[in-house]
Amino acid sequence: EEENDFEKDDQDESLCIVISTSTGGRNLGRVYTYRTESRKAFITWNQLLQEGIKRAKVQEEKDSWTAQYGHSYFAMARAHTRKIYAGALCQWFVAICILFSYATDVAETELWPEEGTN
């Protein structure tokens, strides 16, 4: 019967959650291993951990922005605008607008030349 328990433990290895903390953090790089009771519990734990990680990252970014730009609404708005403008999507949009403006100026000049020109 001990042999069956050993095999069961090997099969349940996939139901373990291993959490490694950062070496510079509060827990000094400790590794925590948790074994769940069932596949359903494992999935629930995993989802909750992913949601917690996502919330922590959002909060960390928010705290970083607050420390860098202050609590002012306008300072935050400027920072968000700067971030959006520095993004690739906005840069492409501005470039396309400039090219479109140039193309319309060329087309206008060709289609409706100024009086006295050929």
Side-chain angles (χ1 to χ4, degrees):
E1 191 167 5
E2 286 181 24
E3 194 173 306
N4 290 338
D5 288 341
F6 181 72
E7 288 176 12
K8 184 179 179 185
D9 286 344
D10 285 345
Q11 292 171 356
D12 289 345
E13 191 69 31
S14 65
L15 300 178
C16 289
I17 297 174
V18 179
I19 300 172
S20 301
T21 60
S22 62
T23 55
R26 232 182 346 209
N27 291 314
L28 303 172
R30 291 188 182 116
V31 177
Y32 298 95
T33 304
Y34 298 97
R35 182 176 300 209
T36 58
E37 297 172 359
S38 65
R39 167 98 30 226
K40 184 178 179 181
F42 175 80
I43 292 170
T44 302
W45 268 74
N46 192 25
Q47 289 173 341
L48 291 172
L49 284 171
Q50 294 302 321
E51 290 170 9
I53 289 168
K54 190 175 183 179
R55 281 194 310 271
K57 286 181 179 181
V58 167
Q59 185 63 44
E60 182 180 357
E61 183 177 4
K62 185 178 179 182
D63 292 346
S64 171
W65 279 53
T66 301
Q68 188 173 0
Y69 301 109
H71 294 281
S72 166
Y73 172 79
F74 293 109
M76 286 295 194
R78 280 193 306 271
H80 283 289
T81 304
R82 185 179 304 125
K83 182 180 177 182
I84 290 170
Y85 186 74
L89 182 64
C90 185
Q91 294 294 318
W92 276 101
F93 178 75
V94 170
I96 289 169
C97 287
I98 291 169
L99 287 173
F100 184 72
S101 174
Y102 176 75
T104 55
D105 286 343
V106 168
E108 180 183 11
T109 304
E110 289 295 321
L111 294 175
W112 297 288
E114 292 182 16
E115 290 183 27
T117 61
N118 292 332

mmCIF file of all heavy atoms in Angstrom, residues 82-114:
data_model
loop_
_atom_site.group_PDB
_atom_site.id
_atom_site.type_symbol
_atom_site.label_atom_id
_atom_site.label_comp_id
_atom_site.label_asym_id
_atom_site.label_seq_id
_atom_site.Cartn_x
_atom_site.Cartn_y
_atom_site.Cartn_z
ATOM 1 N N ARG A 82 1.799 62.011 -22.353
ATOM 2 C CA ARG A 82 3.170 61.755 -22.800
ATOM 3 C C ARG A 82 3.370 60.275 -23.120
ATOM 4 O O ARG A 82 3.975 59.923 -24.137
ATOM 5 C CB ARG A 82 4.164 62.194 -21.724
ATOM 6 C CG ARG A 82 5.619 62.086 -22.155
ATOM 7 C CD ARG A 82 6.595 62.554 -21.080
ATOM 8 N NE ARG A 82 6.303 63.919 -20.672
ATOM 9 C CZ ARG A 82 6.078 64.299 -19.404
ATOM 10 N NH1 ARG A 82 6.114 63.416 -18.438
ATOM 11 N NH2 ARG A 82 5.827 65.546 -19.100
ATOM 12 N N LYS A 83 2.819 59.397 -22.273
ATOM 13 C CA LYS A 83 2.943 57.954 -22.497
ATOM 14 C C LYS A 83 2.215 57.538 -23.784
ATOM 15 O O LYS A 83 2.741 56.754 -24.575
ATOM 16 C CB LYS A 83 2.363 57.193 -21.303
ATOM 17 C CG LYS A 83 2.481 55.691 -21.426
ATOM 18 C CD LYS A 83 1.899 54.973 -20.221
ATOM 19 C CE LYS A 83 1.972 53.475 -20.402
ATOM 20 N NZ LYS A 83 1.387 52.759 -19.280
ATOM 21 N N ILE A 84 1.029 58.081 -23.985
ATOM 22 C CA ILE A 84 0.265 57.752 -25.194
ATOM 23 C C ILE A 84 0.993 58.257 -26.434
ATOM 24 O O ILE A 84 1.131 57.534 -27.424
ATOM 25 C CB ILE A 84 -1.161 58.342 -25.110
ATOM 26 C CG1 ILE A 84 -1.971 57.592 -24.049
ATOM 27 C CG2 ILE A 84 -1.853 58.284 -26.462
ATOM 28 C CD1 ILE A 84 -3.291 58.249 -23.714
ATOM 29 N N TYR A 85 1.477 59.482 -26.382
ATOM 30 C CA TYR A 85 2.154 60.068 -27.543
ATOM 31 C C TYR A 85 3.447 59.331 -27.870
ATOM 32 O O TYR A 85 3.834 59.214 -29.032
ATOM 33 C CB TYR A 85 2.433 61.551 -27.322
ATOM 34 C CG TYR A 85 2.986 62.212 -28.554
ATOM 35 C CD1 TYR A 85 2.159 62.484 -29.646
ATOM 36 C CD2 TYR A 85 4.329 62.549 -28.650
ATOM 37 C CE1 TYR A 85 2.659 63.072 -30.795
ATOM 38 C CE2 TYR A 85 4.837 63.138 -29.786
ATOM 39 C CZ TYR A 85 4.000 63.393 -30.863
ATOM 40 O OH TYR A 85 4.500 63.959 -31.988
ATOM 41 N N ALA A 86 4.125 58.828 -26.870
ATOM 42 C CA ALA A 86 5.381 58.108 -27.091
ATOM 43 C C ALA A 86 5.141 56.697 -27.623
ATOM 44 O O ALA A 86 6.077 56.059 -28.109
ATOM 45 C CB ALA A 86 6.179 58.042 -25.793
ATOM 46 N N GLY A 87 3.906 56.218 -27.568
ATOM 47 C CA GLY A 87 3.595 54.876 -28.035
ATOM 48 C C GLY A 87 3.681 54.755 -29.549
ATOM 49 O O GLY A 87 3.504 55.720 -30.294
ATOM 50 N N ALA A 88 3.949 53.559 -30.021
ATOM 51 C CA ALA A 88 4.121 53.299 -31.451
ATOM 52 C C ALA A 88 2.840 53.591 -32.239
ATOM 53 O O ALA A 88 2.900 54.148 -33.343
ATOM 54 C CB ALA A 88 4.563 51.860 -31.672
ATOM 55 N N LEU A 89 1.695 53.244 -31.692
ATOM 56 C CA LEU A 89 0.433 53.452 -32.402
ATOM 57 C C LEU A 89 0.203 54.937 -32.684
ATOM 58 O O LEU A 89 -0.152 55.319 -33.798
ATOM 59 C CB LEU A 89 -0.731 52.871 -31.593
ATOM 60 C CG LEU A 89 -2.110 52.966 -32.234
ATOM 61 C CD1 LEU A 89 -2.147 52.150 -33.515
ATOM 62 C CD2 LEU A 89 -3.168 52.476 -31.267
ATOM 63 N N CYS A 90 0.435 55.765 -31.695
ATOM 64 C CA CYS A 90 0.258 57.211 -31.875
ATOM 65 C C CYS A 90 1.280 57.754 -32.859
ATOM 66 O O CYS A 90 0.952 58.597 -33.701
ATOM 67 C CB CYS A 90 0.371 57.924 -30.529
ATOM 68 S SG CYS A 90 0.012 59.681 -30.645
ATOM 69 N N GLN A 91 2.507 57.282 -32.785
ATOM 70 C CA GLN A 91 3.542 57.750 -33.708
ATOM 71 C C GLN A 91 3.186 57.397 -35.147
ATOM 72 O O GLN A 91 3.354 58.217 -36.050
ATOM 73 C CB GLN A 91 4.906 57.151 -33.332
ATOM 74 C CG GLN A 91 5.445 57.621 -31.999
ATOM 75 C CD GLN A 91 5.785 59.089 -31.991
ATOM 76 O OE1 GLN A 91 6.348 59.602 -32.944
ATOM 77 N NE2 GLN A 91 5.449 59.775 -30.914
ATOM 78 N N TRP A 92 2.672 56.206 -35.356
ATOM 79 C CA TRP A 92 2.235 55.810 -36.699
ATOM 80 C C TRP A 92 1.069 56.683 -37.160
ATOM 81 O O TRP A 92 1.003 57.099 -38.321
ATOM 82 C CB TRP A 92 1.845 54.331 -36.734
ATOM 83 C CG TRP A 92 3.016 53.419 -36.916
ATOM 84 C CD1 TRP A 92 3.650 52.692 -35.960
ATOM 85 C CD2 TRP A 92 3.703 53.154 -38.136
ATOM 86 N NE1 TRP A 92 4.684 51.992 -36.500
ATOM 87 C CE2 TRP A 92 4.739 52.259 -37.843
ATOM 88 C CE3 TRP A 92 3.548 53.594 -39.440
ATOM 89 C CZ2 TRP A 92 5.616 51.793 -38.814
ATOM 90 C CZ3 TRP A 92 4.426 53.125 -40.411
ATOM 91 C CH2 TRP A 92 5.438 52.229 -40.089
ATOM 92 N N PHE A 93 0.126 56.936 -36.280
ATOM 93 C CA PHE A 93 -1.027 57.759 -36.627
ATOM 94 C C PHE A 93 -0.603 59.164 -37.041
ATOM 95 O O PHE A 93 -1.064 59.694 -38.059
ATOM 96 C CB PHE A 93 -2.011 57.814 -35.450
ATOM 97 C CG PHE A 93 -3.207 58.674 -35.712
ATOM 98 C CD1 PHE A 93 -4.221 58.239 -36.549
ATOM 99 C CD2 PHE A 93 -3.323 59.921 -35.118
ATOM 100 C CE1 PHE A 93 -5.326 59.034 -36.808
ATOM 101 C CE2 PHE A 93 -4.424 60.727 -35.360
ATOM 102 C CZ PHE A 93 -5.429 60.279 -36.214
ATOM 103 N N VAL A 94 0.295 59.766 -36.284
ATOM 104 C CA VAL A 94 0.779 61.116 -36.604
ATOM 105 C C VAL A 94 1.537 61.105 -37.933
ATOM 106 O O VAL A 94 1.351 61.993 -38.771
ATOM 107 C CB VAL A 94 1.659 61.677 -35.460
ATOM 108 C CG1 VAL A 94 2.373 62.952 -35.869
ATOM 109 C CG2 VAL A 94 0.813 61.910 -34.220
ATOM 110 N N ALA A 95 2.350 60.090 -38.149
ATOM 111 C CA ALA A 95 3.102 59.987 -39.406
ATOM 112 C C ALA A 95 2.150 59.859 -40.594
ATOM 113 O O ALA A 95 2.348 60.505 -41.636
ATOM 114 C CB ALA A 95 4.055 58.800 -39.357
ATOM 115 N N ILE A 96 1.118 59.055 -40.462
ATOM 116 C CA ILE A 96 0.139 58.886 -41.539
ATOM 117 C C ILE A 96 -0.611 60.197 -41.786
ATOM 118 O O ILE A 96 -0.857 60.571 -42.942
ATOM 119 C CB ILE A 96 -0.818 57.719 -41.225
ATOM 120 C CG1 ILE A 96 -0.053 56.401 -41.358
ATOM 121 C CG2 ILE A 96 -2.030 57.724 -42.143
ATOM 122 C CD1 ILE A 96 -0.788 55.191 -40.833
ATOM 123 N N CYS A 97 -0.956 60.907 -40.729
ATOM 124 C CA CYS A 97 -1.622 62.217 -40.887
ATOM 125 C C CYS A 97 -0.728 63.198 -41.636
ATOM 126 O O CYS A 97 -1.196 63.931 -42.520
ATOM 127 C CB CYS A 97 -2.005 62.796 -39.532
ATOM 128 S SG CYS A 97 -3.389 61.967 -38.755
ATOM 129 N N ILE A 98 0.555 63.231 -41.316
ATOM 130 C CA ILE A 98 1.492 64.127 -41.996
ATOM 131 C C ILE A 98 1.597 63.755 -43.476
ATOM 132 O O ILE A 98 1.548 64.624 -44.353
ATOM 133 C CB ILE A 98 2.871 64.107 -41.307
ATOM 134 C CG1 ILE A 98 2.774 64.759 -39.924
ATOM 135 C CG2 ILE A 98 3.936 64.789 -42.170
ATOM 136 C CD1 ILE A 98 3.991 64.563 -39.061
ATOM 137 N N LEU A 99 1.725 62.452 -43.746
ATOM 138 C CA LEU A 99 1.809 62.012 -45.142
ATOM 139 C C LEU A 99 0.519 62.325 -45.903
ATOM 140 O O LEU A 99 0.562 62.757 -47.062
ATOM 141 C CB LEU A 99 2.115 60.515 -45.212
ATOM 142 C CG LEU A 99 3.543 60.121 -44.851
ATOM 143 C CD1 LEU A 99 3.673 58.615 -44.788
ATOM 144 C CD2 LEU A 99 4.527 60.706 -45.843
ATOM 145 N N PHE A 100 -0.616 62.124 -45.278
ATOM 146 C CA PHE A 100 -1.896 62.419 -45.915
ATOM 147 C C PHE A 100 -2.023 63.913 -46.193
ATOM 148 O O PHE A 100 -2.483 64.325 -47.263
ATOM 149 C CB PHE A 100 -3.046 61.934 -45.027
ATOM 150 C CG PHE A 100 -4.396 62.112 -45.648
ATOM 151 C CD1 PHE A 100 -4.805 61.320 -46.708
ATOM 152 C CD2 PHE A 100 -5.253 63.100 -45.183
ATOM 153 C CE1 PHE A 100 -6.043 61.492 -47.294
ATOM 154 C CE2 PHE A 100 -6.498 63.285 -45.761
ATOM 155 C CZ PHE A 100 -6.894 62.476 -46.820
ATOM 156 N N SER A 101 -1.595 64.734 -45.271
ATOM 157 C CA SER A 101 -1.628 66.187 -45.455
ATOM 158 C C SER A 101 -0.739 66.592 -46.627
ATOM 159 O O SER A 101 -1.128 67.414 -47.468
ATOM 160 C CB SER A 101 -1.171 66.882 -44.178
ATOM 161 O OG SER A 101 -1.072 68.264 -44.373
ATOM 162 N N TYR A 102 0.451 66.013 -46.687
ATOM 163 C CA TYR A 102 1.365 66.298 -47.791
ATOM 164 C C TYR A 102 0.742 65.873 -49.121
ATOM 165 O O TYR A 102 0.781 66.612 -50.112
ATOM 166 C CB TYR A 102 2.699 65.596 -47.563
ATOM 167 C CG TYR A 102 3.658 65.763 -48.706
ATOM 168 C CD1 TYR A 102 4.315 66.959 -48.919
ATOM 169 C CD2 TYR A 102 3.903 64.709 -49.593
ATOM 170 C CE1 TYR A 102 5.203 67.117 -49.979
ATOM 171 C CE2 TYR A 102 4.780 64.859 -50.654
ATOM 172 C CZ TYR A 102 5.423 66.059 -50.836
ATOM 173 O OH TYR A 102 6.287 66.212 -51.892
ATOM 174 N N ALA A 103 0.151 64.680 -49.149
ATOM 175 C CA ALA A 103 -0.459 64.173 -50.383
ATOM 176 C C ALA A 103 -1.618 65.058 -50.822
ATOM 177 O O ALA A 103 -1.777 65.337 -52.018
ATOM 178 C CB ALA A 103 -0.921 62.733 -50.183
ATOM 179 N N THR A 104 -2.428 65.535 -49.897
ATOM 180 C CA THR A 104 -3.544 66.417 -50.277
ATOM 181 C C THR A 104 -3.027 67.767 -50.772
ATOM 182 O O THR A 104 -3.600 68.335 -51.707
ATOM 183 C CB THR A 104 -4.530 66.623 -49.106
ATOM 184 O OG1 THR A 104 -3.824 67.117 -47.971
ATOM 185 C CG2 THR A 104 -5.260 65.345 -48.778
ATOM 186 N N ASP A 105 -1.954 68.283 -50.200
ATOM 187 C CA ASP A 105 -1.357 69.534 -50.694
ATOM 188 C C ASP A 105 -0.841 69.353 -52.114
ATOM 189 O O ASP A 105 -1.045 70.219 -52.973
ATOM 190 C CB ASP A 105 -0.220 70.002 -49.776
ATOM 191 C CG ASP A 105 -0.716 70.590 -48.475
ATOM 192 O OD1 ASP A 105 -1.922 70.938 -48.404
ATOM 193 O OD2 ASP A 105 0.090 70.722 -47.537
ATOM 194 N N VAL A 106 -0.179 68.241 -52.390
ATOM 195 C CA VAL A 106 0.329 67.965 -53.731
ATOM 196 C C VAL A 106 -0.834 67.833 -54.708
ATOM 197 O O VAL A 106 -0.822 68.409 -55.801
ATOM 198 C CB VAL A 106 1.216 66.701 -53.743
ATOM 199 C CG1 VAL A 106 1.514 66.246 -55.159
ATOM 200 C CG2 VAL A 106 2.506 66.957 -52.977
ATOM 201 N N ALA A 107 -1.866 67.066 -54.328
ATOM 202 C CA ALA A 107 -3.025 66.877 -55.200
ATOM 203 C C ALA A 107 -3.733 68.206 -55.462
ATOM 204 O O ALA A 107 -4.129 68.503 -56.598
ATOM 205 C CB ALA A 107 -3.980 65.872 -54.579
ATOM 206 N N GLU A 108 -3.879 69.024 -54.439
ATOM 207 C CA GLU A 108 -4.537 70.330 -54.595
ATOM 208 C C GLU A 108 -3.749 71.217 -55.549
ATOM 209 O O GLU A 108 -4.319 71.885 -56.423
ATOM 210 C CB GLU A 108 -4.670 71.015 -53.235
ATOM 211 C CG GLU A 108 -5.344 72.357 -53.299
ATOM 212 C CD GLU A 108 -5.402 73.055 -51.946
ATOM 213 O OE1 GLU A 108 -4.734 72.593 -50.996
ATOM 214 O OE2 GLU A 108 -6.106 74.072 -51.857
ATOM 215 N N THR A 109 -2.434 71.221 -55.403
ATOM 216 C CA THR A 109 -1.588 72.034 -56.265
ATOM 217 C C THR A 109 -1.677 71.558 -57.722
ATOM 218 O O THR A 109 -1.703 72.364 -58.648
ATOM 219 C CB THR A 109 -0.130 71.997 -55.780
ATOM 220 O OG1 THR A 109 -0.090 72.427 -54.430
ATOM 221 C CG2 THR A 109 0.757 72.892 -56.615
ATOM 222 N N GLU A 110 -1.735 70.254 -57.912
ATOM 223 C CA GLU A 110 -1.814 69.706 -59.268
ATOM 224 C C GLU A 110 -3.193 69.926 -59.890
ATOM 225 O O GLU A 110 -3.306 70.230 -61.074
ATOM 226 C CB GLU A 110 -1.488 68.209 -59.259
ATOM 227 C CG GLU A 110 -0.032 67.897 -59.003
ATOM 228 C CD GLU A 110 0.883 68.393 -60.116
ATOM 229 O OE1 GLU A 110 0.506 68.301 -61.303
ATOM 230 O OE2 GLU A 110 1.974 68.887 -59.788
ATOM 231 N N LEU A 111 -4.241 69.770 -59.115
ATOM 232 C CA LEU A 111 -5.589 69.869 -59.658
ATOM 233 C C LEU A 111 -6.064 71.318 -59.811
ATOM 234 O O LEU A 111 -6.775 71.647 -60.757
ATOM 235 C CB LEU A 111 -6.573 69.090 -58.786
ATOM 236 C CG LEU A 111 -6.372 67.574 -58.761
ATOM 237 C CD1 LEU A 111 -7.322 66.933 -57.766
ATOM 238 C CD2 LEU A 111 -6.553 66.979 -60.150
ATOM 239 N N TRP A 112 -5.708 72.176 -58.877
ATOM 240 C CA TRP A 112 -6.136 73.568 -58.911
ATOM 241 C C TRP A 112 -4.907 74.466 -58.757
ATOM 242 O O TRP A 112 -4.673 75.051 -57.687
ATOM 243 C CB TRP A 112 -7.110 73.857 -57.779
ATOM 244 C CG TRP A 112 -8.383 73.077 -57.877
ATOM 245 C CD1 TRP A 112 -9.375 73.261 -58.769
ATOM 246 C CD2 TRP A 112 -8.755 71.987 -57.059
ATOM 247 N NE1 TRP A 112 -10.368 72.340 -58.563
ATOM 248 C CE2 TRP A 112 -10.018 71.545 -57.499
ATOM 249 C CE3 TRP A 112 -8.167 71.303 -55.994
ATOM 250 C CZ2 TRP A 112 -10.684 70.467 -56.931
ATOM 251 C CZ3 TRP A 112 -8.818 70.248 -55.420
ATOM 252 C CH2 TRP A 112 -10.076 69.844 -55.895
ATOM 253 N N PRO A 113 -4.132 74.643 -59.807
ATOM 254 C CA PRO A 113 -2.938 75.493 -59.699
ATOM 255 C C PRO A 113 -3.348 76.957 -59.510
ATOM 256 O O PRO A 113 -4.449 77.367 -59.861
ATOM 257 C CB PRO A 113 -2.224 75.269 -61.030
ATOM 258 C CG PRO A 113 -3.245 74.742 -61.958
ATOM 259 C CD PRO A 113 -4.299 74.077 -61.115
ATOM 260 N N GLU A 114 -2.441 77.720 -58.957
ATOM 261 C CA GLU A 114 -2.695 79.153 -58.758
ATOM 262 C C GLU A 114 -2.782 79.841 -60.112
ATOM 263 O O GLU A 114 -2.182 79.409 -61.103
ATOM 264 C CB GLU A 114 -1.589 79.766 -57.909
ATOM 265 C CG GLU A 114 -1.574 79.282 -56.482
ATOM 266 C CD GLU A 114 -0.463 79.977 -55.670
ATOM 267 O OE1 GLU A 114 0.063 81.016 -56.113
ATOM 268 O OE2 GLU A 114 -0.160 79.446 -54.601
#
